[in-house]
Amino acid sequence: MPHLTIEYSGNLEGRADIGELCDRLHAAILATGLFELGAIRVRALKAEHFAIADRLPENAFVDLNFRIGKGRSADEKRRTGEALFAVAGEVLAPLFETPHFALSLEIREIDSELSWKRNAIHPRLGGQ
């Protein structure tokens, strides 16, 4: 269950390629070798309303929330986080040229007893 949600401030429209960010993060998740293709989800949600720090209109953010099932070692989770953060930093590098951008990432483990799923994609991809 590797689900990556990208939340970003609406003022990034035209300033960042969120589609490329999704594609590159998807590839980075797959490249870890820790997750099946059929389970990977990357989605981006634009925050239309936000108030950041000193509320300057040019302040912007991207927050990455990566939810995964239990079963990976601390080292595997750390390496995955470092890889995702590096990719996001690379794609979003131009935004760091001003002092008005914040990037964050958090990895959260899902308690399988409190998570329900139904997935018709897995069988089609045959465990890829």
Side-chain angles (χ1 to χ4, degrees):
M1 171 169 173
H3 290 206
L4 178 61
T5 302
I6 304 164
E7 183 181 355
Y8 66 98
S9 54
N11 62 351
L12 287 177
E13 291 292 324
R15 295 173 53 198
D17 188 338
I18 302 301
E20 178 188 0
L21 182 61
C22 288
D23 291 342
R24 297 269 311 273
L25 289 169
H26 184 283
I29 293 167
L30 191 57
T32 66
L34 298 173
F35 307 100
E36 292 181 14
L37 177 61
I40 298 172
R41 310 280 185 279
V42 177
R43 59 182 72 88
L45 308 172
K46 179 170 66 171
E48 293 287 348
H49 304 281
F50 50 88
I52 303 168
D54 56 358
R55 299 181 61 126
L56 290 175
E58 58 268 33
N59 289 348
F61 73 89
V62 168
D63 176 58
L64 307 173
N65 179 9
F66 192 43
R67 298 180 303 131
I68 62 173
K70 291 184 179 184
R72 280 96 191 164
S73 71
D75 183 60
E76 289 171 328
K77 290 182 281 191
R78 189 187 80 263
R79 284 188 287 117
T80 298
E82 288 171 354
L84 295 175
F85 203 71
V87 166
E90 187 177 305
V91 173
L92 302 170
L95 298 173
F96 286 106
E97 293 174 6
T98 70
H100 302 284
F101 179 66
L103 173 63
S104 58
L105 164 67
E106 182 176 5
I107 296 178
R108 298 177 184 189
E109 282 189 329
I110 303 302
D111 182 339
S112 62
E113 292 183 24
L114 300 173
S115 180
W116 295 261
K117 297 170 216 53
R118 185 174 178 186
N119 185 341
I121 299 172
H122 274 296
R124 179 175 53 83
L125 294 176
Q128 292 182 31

